[in-house]
Amino acid sequence: ETGVTQTPRHLVMGMTNKKSLKCEQHLGHNAMYWYKQSAKKPLELMFVYNFKEQTENNSVPSRFSPECPNSSHLFLHLHTLQPEDSALYLCASSLGDQETQYFGPGTRLLVL
Amino acid sequence: AQSVAQPEDQVNVAEGNPLTVKCTYSVSGNPYLFWYVQYPNRGLQFLLKYITGDNLVKGSYGFEAEFNKSQTSFHLKKPSALVSDSALYFCAVREPGNTPLVFGKGTRLSVIA
């Protein structure tokens, strides 16, 4: 275990649903990240938070809405998703935003 | 902008043989280089990194990587492969300063008994 947990591990949702992904890190890190991993494609950085402030939004559609209430927790709120949003969503954390990143196990999302 | 290439989608090696997973990069300035491994239904696990210093970096599970500035490469190696090494391997690079970590598309390693 890396000290980064994600819930749920699997999620199936319809295009009209609203759901949230949760990430928690127990490493005392200050930076947290959301990545999208799709088959046959490199990891895509979505959002970066450093000391609870969003420092990176990599042109992500507004149907994905991140929230970072404190340095230990990160959420990704999902609404009106499309089938092409089906992927593995990975959370990561690092001590500072330039330090080594440690990943959670991911949430496998299927949008029907 | 920085970029990283993993030229092989798949690498097959017999158990006990040495393995190499290739990575080349392009950055402005000195690179920060990383290797991660992903087992099925798991997140990425950090293996090793090069920031500065000795060109040969040793990491977890007996893996090592050699930084070669002239060839802009950072190949991952292990002297004797295990079946349990079978996984997806990602190389990543970052430029100094406030820049994101950029990942390669991954190389699937299969170690055959």
Side-chain angles (χ1 to χ4, degrees), chain B residues 3 8-9 11 36 58 72 74 76 87 95 102 109 112:
Chain B
S3 66
E8 303 154 317
D9 289 338
V11 170
Y36 286 83
K58 294 187 182 296
T72 61
F74 190 57
L76 182 70
E95 294 178 344
V102 174
L109 172 68
I112 303 154

Side-chain angles (χ1 to χ4, degrees), chain A residues 11-14 17-21 76-80 109:
Chain A
L11 179 62
V12 180
M13 60 186 290
N17 290 159
K18 290 184 179 181
K19 296 287 184 183
S20 295
L21 309 185
L76 188 62
H77 303 300
L78 317 172
H79 63 99
T80 59
L109 174 66

Side-chain angles (χ1 to χ4, degrees), chain B residues 13-33:
Chain B
V13 63
E15 188 176 30
N17 283 3
L19 69 87
T20 299
V21 183
K22 296 180 180 178
C23 172
T24 59
Y25 65 89
S26 175
V27 298
S28 302
N30 296 319
Y32 295 174
L33 293 154

Side-chain angles (χ1 to χ4, degrees), chain B residues 15-101:
Chain B
E15 188 176 30
N17 283 3
L19 69 87
T20 299
V21 183
K22 296 180 180 178
C23 172
T24 59
Y25 65 89
S26 175
V27 298
S28 302
N30 296 319
Y32 295 174
L33 293 154
F34 302 79
W35 275 102
Y36 286 83
V37 60
Q38 186 177 32
Y39 297 100
N41 300 313
R42 302 285 293 275
L44 276 66
Q45 292 182 35
F46 169 70
L47 276 179
L48 51 80
K49 68 179 177 182
Y50 172 84
I51 304 298
T52 187
D54 194 347
N55 289 345
L56 185 64
V57 180
K58 294 187 182 296
S60 306
Y61 312 121
F63 284 93
E64 58 188 29
E66 185 167 14
F67 170 62
N68 188 317
K69 188 172 184 177
S70 63
Q71 298 186 1
T72 61
S73 68
F74 190 57
H75 301 331
L76 182 70
K77 299 182 179 184
K78 187 173 182 181
S80 179
L82 300 173
V83 172
S84 57
D85 293 329
S86 298
L88 191 55
Y89 290 81
F90 291 93
C91 182
V93 67
R94 186 170 59 76
E95 294 178 344
N98 189 19
T99 60
L101 190 61

Side-chain angles (χ1 to χ4, degrees), chain A residues 9 37 98 100-101 103-105, chain B residues 36 38 41 43 49 94 97:
Chain A
R9 293 293 308 276
Q37 185 179 24
Q98 302 299 301
T100 301
Q101 295 178 25
F103 286 79
Chain B
Y36 286 83
Q38 186 177 32
N41 300 313
K49 68 179 177 182
R94 186 170 59 76

